[in-house]
């Protein structure tokens, strides 16, 4: 059976008569003049492959993901070396514009067969090929990282996801200060704000940032132009006690969440791991699958960014508020995490520990309460409520390490980074755990 194909670009129509003269193995079923037309035709199941010529700049990671999700492979015709390299990075087959019809048809057939093979493999393993788009038929499963474009360094650094339920339990406070502690301990640290509901790393660090560096990096990854140099350029550099903390700030408006496409974010994080010893990611709270929220199977996933970070993370810190609202919320959220990302093994961090919320001897009370809730996970850390230190850091746009270096809160977060600091003075710790009013 002849393979139905789409073409995009007026230049591509030059090849149609050549292909038609072959009477197979491919048949051009639609000549599209615009990208939107080609995507619509692909989505309607009309074709198994697309040939793009003259408009290859329209191809980016998002377009490829949409075409592949409709099981349409792509072949691009270009004589431009730079463009060929970019398209290679996106996993698109390229060929010279002077290609003979037989060779072009063979390449198109080969790319379609390869995509079909990948699809069969993914179906066999139960792993969705495209976690970036909602798929009502399948729940999101853990998956390996998206392929890293050629030329990028192999990943090495540790990826630490800081996550937790709604209610502002202190995810950003932990993420920012954890990254600062790693940097101060001499590690090459990178802090990433991937919260699609309330990015705030820039505000915590006092950065007058309108650049949404992470969205910028994702855009470049989508375009296939994110190499190590571009990555370094897009990172903001923040001085922390004589060392540098690199930062990818988050989206500046919540409606920009579509810019953090999971596949592009995965590429950015893989690259981040190649240039940093530790990458700390501040995540959004929601793990809800977007297909449960939307009937549009091609809709991007709002929570896809958080889910992808949790899938890729080497370490997940689950931060919850140490009070009557926060504790049960955290228990429920951990349950959701187990279903959404079974590969993630979360370390429980209870934050804002204070006797005013849970009674005298708050640490012992919380451990007892945690056992009563029945989770098998142990509490990894109890971080004291310390509004004085937390507010001073926020006011100064600085990290605890600088604004409140002797505080019990800073010491507890440094412990999460594995730093062995001298214990804070007893009085300080007692005061931090004492009755604190918010
Ligand atoms: N241990 C603490 N003691 C006192 N205040 C704290 C502590 N941890 C965090 N806070 C304060 O709680 C508020 C919320 O913290 P943060 O922004 O880190 O939470 P979040 O979980 O990231 O919230 P969001 O849902 O907005 O992302 C901030 O004002 C912060 O300074
Ligand atoms: Mg936050």
């Amino acid at each position: 059976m002849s393979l139905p194909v789409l073409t995009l670009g007026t230049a591509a129509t030059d090849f149609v008569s050549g292909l038609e003269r072959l009477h197979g193995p491919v048949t051009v079923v639609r000549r599209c003049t615009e990208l939107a037309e080609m995507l619509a035709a692909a989505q309607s199941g009309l074709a198994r492959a697309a040939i793009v010529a003259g408009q290859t700049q329209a191809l980016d990671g998002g377009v490829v993901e949409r075409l592949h999700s409709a099981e349409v492979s792509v072949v691009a015709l270009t004589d431009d070396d730079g463009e060929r390299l970019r398209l290679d990075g996106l996993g698109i087959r390229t060929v010279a514009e002077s290609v003979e019809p037989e060779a072009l048809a063979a390449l198109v057939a080969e790319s379609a067969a390869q995509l079909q093979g990948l699809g069969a493999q993914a179906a066999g393993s139960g792993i969705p090929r495209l976690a970036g788009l909602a798929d009502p038929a399948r729940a999101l499963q853990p998956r390996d990282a998206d392929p890293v474009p050629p030329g990028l360094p192999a990943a090495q650094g540790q990826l630490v996801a800081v996550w937790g339920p709604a209610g502002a339990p202190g995810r950003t406070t932990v993420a920012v200060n954890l990254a600062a502690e790693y940097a101060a301990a001499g590690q090459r640290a990178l802090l990433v704000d991937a919260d699609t509901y309330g990015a705030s790393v820039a505000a915590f660090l006092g950065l007058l940032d309108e650049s949404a560096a992470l969205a910028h990096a994702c855009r470049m990854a989508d375009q296939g132009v994110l190499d190590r140099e571009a990555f370094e350029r897009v990172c903001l550099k923040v001085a922390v006690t004589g060392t540098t903390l690199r930062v990818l700030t988050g989206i500046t408006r919540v409606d920009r969440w579509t810019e953090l496409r999971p596949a592009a974010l995965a590429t950015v994080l893989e690259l981040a791991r190649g240039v940093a010893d530790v990458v700390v990611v501040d995540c959004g709270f929601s793990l809800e699958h977007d297909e449960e929220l939307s009937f549009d199977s091609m809709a991007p996933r709002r929570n896809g960014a958080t889910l992808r970070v949790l899938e890729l993370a080497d370490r997940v810190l689950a931060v919850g508020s140490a009070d009557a609202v926060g504790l049960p919320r955290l228990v429920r959220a951990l349950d959701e995490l187990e279903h959404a990302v079974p590969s993630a093994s979360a370390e429980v961090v209870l934050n804002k520990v204070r006797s005013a919320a849970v009674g005298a001897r708050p640490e012992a009370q919380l451990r007892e309460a945690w056992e009563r809730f029945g989770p098998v996970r142990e509490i990894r850390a109890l971080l004291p409520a310390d509004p004085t230190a937390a507010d001073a850091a926020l006011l100064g746009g600085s990290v605890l390490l600088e604004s409140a270096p002797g505080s019990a809160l800073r010491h507890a977060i440094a412990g999460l980074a594995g730093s062995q600091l001298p214990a804070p003075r007893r009085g300080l710790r007692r005061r931090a755990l004492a009755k604190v009013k918010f």
Side-chain angles (χ1 to χ4, degrees):
M1 202 187 83
S2 188
L3 191 80
V5 300
L6 309 168
T7 63
L8 173 65
T10 43
T13 57
D14 298 347
F15 301 95
V16 175
S17 48
L19 290 172
E20 278 171 351
R21 270 198 303 276
L22 296 176
H23 300 294
V26 302
T27 305
V28 176
V29 290
R30 170 102 34 110
R31 302 175 197 193
C32 309
T33 50
E34 286 180 11
L35 179 66
E37 187 188 352
M38 181 175 77
L39 287 173
Q43 217 178 323
S44 69
L46 207 62
R48 294 275 63 84
I51 300 171
V52 181
Q55 284 189 27
T56 58
Q57 290 78 3
L59 296 171
D60 63 18
V63 170
V64 175
E65 188 171 49
R66 290 179 82 99
L67 289 170
H68 284 186
S69 74
E71 290 174 16
V72 173
S73 68
V74 198
V75 170
L77 278 69
T78 179
D79 287 337
D80 183 319
D81 285 344
E83 182 63 352
R84 187 175 308 131
L85 215 62
R86 183 184 82 83
L87 295 168
D88 278 352
L90 294 172
I92 297 174
R93 300 279 195 109
T94 57
V95 65
E97 289 175 15
S98 56
V99 63
E100 293 296 327
E102 289 86 354
L104 179 59
L107 186 65
V108 169
E110 197 183 304
S111 75
Q114 193 189 23
L115 185 68
Q116 226 170 15
L118 283 175
Q121 237 178 6
S125 64
I127 296 172
R129 213 154 14 92
L130 299 155
L133 299 174
D135 180 350
R138 288 179 292 204
L140 193 78
Q141 299 286 327
R143 48 168 291 161
D144 296 334
D146 291 75
V148 180
L152 297 189
Q156 279 170 348
Q158 197 192 27
L159 186 68
V160 183
V162 182
W163 165 82
R171 282 173 270 119
T172 308
T173 303
V174 172
V176 166
N177 289 289
L178 188 65
E181 294 295 339
Y182 278 123
Q187 307 245 41
R188 291 174 305 161
L190 175 68
L191 174 63
V192 179
D193 190 342
D195 188 339
T196 49
Y197 288 87
S200 59
V201 163
F204 266 70
L205 292 173
L207 301 169
L208 293 172
D209 176 55
E210 289 298 321
S211 66
L214 180 59
H216 191 179
C218 284
R219 212 159 35 244
M220 285 200 284
D222 250 346
Q223 294 290 326
V225 295
L226 186 68
D227 57 16
R228 193 177 175 140
E229 275 160 42
F231 185 84
E232 291 292 355
R233 264 198 315 277
V234 93
C235 282
L236 284 89
K237 277 82 180 173
V238 176
V240 171
T241 58
T243 179
T244 302
L245 172 63
R246 280 177 287 179
V247 182
L248 286 176
T249 49
I251 47 177
T252 46
R253 291 193 325 262
V254 285
D255 61 357
R256 290 183 66 182
W257 62 267
T258 49
E259 294 177 37
L260 304 188
R261 210 172 56 79
L265 180 59
T267 303
V268 172
L269 292 177
E270 284 302 298
L271 181 48
R273 280 197 305 190
V275 300
D277 299 317
V278 59
V279 182
V280 179
V281 189
D282 185 8
C283 299
F285 61 90
S286 180
L287 301 180
E288 205 165 4
H289 288 285
D290 298 64
E291 60 266 30
E292 288 152 16
L293 310 173
S294 159
F295 294 107
D296 181 356
S297 65
M298 291 298 278
R301 300 176 153 190
R302 177 161 198 168
N303 303 325
T306 300
L307 289 161
R308 184 57 56 83
V309 174
L310 292 167
E311 287 163 10
L312 296 176
D314 301 300
R315 195 177 169 201
V316 175
L317 300 182
V319 183
S321 279
D323 54 47
V325 172
L327 233 49
R329 238 182 220 179
L330 180 60
V331 172
R332 276 195 300 275
L334 284 168
D335 204 37
E336 282 167 28
L337 177 68
E338 210 168 297
H339 284 98
V341 190
S343 62
S345 165
E347 298 173 38
V348 174
V349 176
L350 299 185
N351 187 27
K352 308 188 190 182
V353 175
R354 60 218 189 268
S355 52
V358 288
R361 297 171 39 252
E363 295 193 349
Q365 296 262 20
L366 285 165
R367 286 189 194 282
E368 269 172 39
W370 190 250
E371 274 172 29
R372 270 203 308 281
F373 276 117
V376 280
R377 282 181 204 80
E378 282 183 10
I379 298 175
R380 167 72 173 81
L382 292 150
L383 311 180
D386 194 341
T388 311
D391 287 344
L394 271 185
L395 185 67
S398 62
V399 292
L400 292 166
L401 174 61
E402 288 181 332
S403 56
S407 66
L409 179 56
R410 184 252 155 156
H411 278 252
I413 295 177
L416 278 174
S419 301
Q420 301 289 326
L421 301 177
R425 293 203 316 276
R426 281 186 67 79
L428 268 177
R429 181 162 182 75
R430 227 178 302 123
R431 225 178 305 143
L433 292 176
K435 294 188 197 321
V436 172
K437 296 228 165 21
F438 282 88

